[in-house]
Each structure stands twice: as structure tokens, then as C-alpha cells.
Amino acid sequence: MSTPPPPFPADEIAACRLCAGDFAATATAHVPRPVVWFRPGARILIAGQAPGARVHESGKPFTDPSGDRLRNWLGLGEAEFYDRDRVAIVPMAFCFPGYDAKGADLPPPGRCAEHWRARVMESLPGIGVSFLVGGHAQRWHLGPAATKGGVTATVARWRDHAPRVFPLPHPSWRNTGWLKRNPWFEAELLPVARARLREVMDAD
């Protein structure tokens, strides 16, 4: 007798208010708005950090310049990128964390991943390739393999995890200098990552 698949928690996440008190105390004083963008049959995982202010407003992940850069890195058009039947976009925190008093982005609240992430990953058994965007996602998914030397060192060791997992820097404009200092990322990692993504995408 086969084991039934785990219940899919999307509706529960959409109704989550675990961090409402924390968000009310930020400089933005906003209310939770979980951005849930995945379905059980997805084959590709994009594990990000947390929604930014623009995504909080749109309710759709990566609707900002970072998303444009990420789609370019992966070689995906918008229709493919936002196809929830094939691509699961699962940030480490589902809500915009807000800004601090100086206007800086707050980190993803740890309680979100503690409460939801294991269940979400259990409900996505068919993932064929994962892209871990930024240090928070890399530490959760890679564990000790992501702790030595930070994001740069983790991304530089991408061959240790390919072809099923590719650690990426955050596609923020703030990392433009990083890309210039590390030309191997675009010259060596991205062609392999795009090829693997296309292999998984076309296998569906």
C-alpha cells in the first residue's frame, strides 16, 4: 500500500500571521502578506531570501530588478519562470520582513523557516534541480557545506553540489561589483546551471 503524499500547506501559509507582531514593530509597520508561489508537481526549486517591498505590494515573487537579473541568469522567460506547475519559488521567509529605522532590509525571520520549510520541502518530492539564492537559503539547504567563507566561498564550490543544486549570489543590484570581481560565475557556473535547468524543464 503506497504512502499518501503529505498535505500541501499553501493555503495555511497564505493565512499565516506568525510574525504580525514583529512586522508591526518595524519602521514599515506593515501587516503580513505571505507570497506563496509553488505547487506539488514542481520540478525546479528557486530558494530565495524573503520578498522585498515591491513583491509585498504585487503579491508575486521577483517582480523587481532582482527578478529580471535572476531570470536572465537562468535563461527563463517570464512565462516559464512563473509557471507554478514546474517552478517552485520558495523563499526562506514568505513575507516582506520590513525595514529597520535606517531604511535597511531586515533579515528573513527565522521562525518562518522553522515553522514551514520542512513541510514545504516534503510536499515537493519531484524537485530535480535547486537554485539557492543567497546565504540564508544556502545555510538551510547545504548545512555545514555553506558555513565556511560565506556566500562567495559557497558559490565558488558550486561543483561540489552540481548538477542537482546550484548556490547563487543574490541578484540584487548591490552585487554588481561582486559579479565584476568574480567573472567565473557568469562564465563557468551559469552555462552549466542553465543547461541543467533546461534538461529538467524539458523532461516534464
Side-chain angles (χ1 to χ4, degrees):
M1 185 175 180
S2 61
T3 302
F8 196 54
D11 290 343
E12 293 179 60
I13 295 170
C16 181
R17 296 297 181 267
L18 281 173
C19 299
D22 292 344
F23 296 164
T26 67
T28 40
H30 61 293
V31 298
R33 187 185 188 188
V35 178
V36 184
W37 205 270
F38 54 92
R39 290 178 180 147
R43 299 276 294 134
I44 294 158
L45 171 68
I46 298 173
Q49 305 276 86
R54 293 189 186 186
V55 174
H56 178 73
E57 293 297 325
S58 71
K60 190 174 181 179
F62 288 106
T63 50
D64 51 25
S66 293
D68 294 337
R69 174 176 271 175
L70 179 60
R71 286 185 284 275
N72 180 64
W73 283 355
L74 299 178
L76 287 177
E78 286 199 23
E80 288 183 317
F81 184 83
Y82 288 116
D83 181 354
R84 279 177 275 195
D85 290 321
R86 295 195 287 177
V87 180
I89 304 175
V90 184
M92 294 305 299
F94 290 105
C95 293
F96 170 49
Y99 300 137
D100 64 19
K102 296 181 179 179
D105 292 326
L106 290 167
R111 78 161 60 86
C112 186
E114 291 168 6
H115 189 81
W116 292 115
R117 198 156 194 88
R119 273 188 69 192
V120 170
M121 296 311 301
E122 186 183 5
S123 73
L124 295 169
I127 297 297
V129 62
S130 299
F131 299 95
L132 311 181
V133 182
H136 291 278
Q138 291 162 15
R139 287 190 292 275
W140 196 93
H141 285 268
L142 298 178
T147 61
K148 298 179 180 178
V151 171
T152 297
T154 301
V155 176
R157 293 194 299 269
W158 64 273
R159 292 179 179 85
D160 294 349
H161 313 291
R164 291 190 61 84
V165 176
F166 291 87
L168 306 177
H170 197 281
S172 166
W173 61 269
R174 296 183 182 91
N175 278 337
T176 298
W178 187 96
L179 295 172
K180 292 179 179 178
R181 294 190 301 273
N182 297 279
W184 51 266
F185 171 73
E186 294 184 290
E188 299 174 23
L189 184 157
L190 286 185
V192 179
R194 290 188 191 114
R196 173 58 179 167
L197 184 152
R198 186 51 53 189
E199 178 184 10
V200 173
M201 183 80 78
D202 292 346
D204 287 350

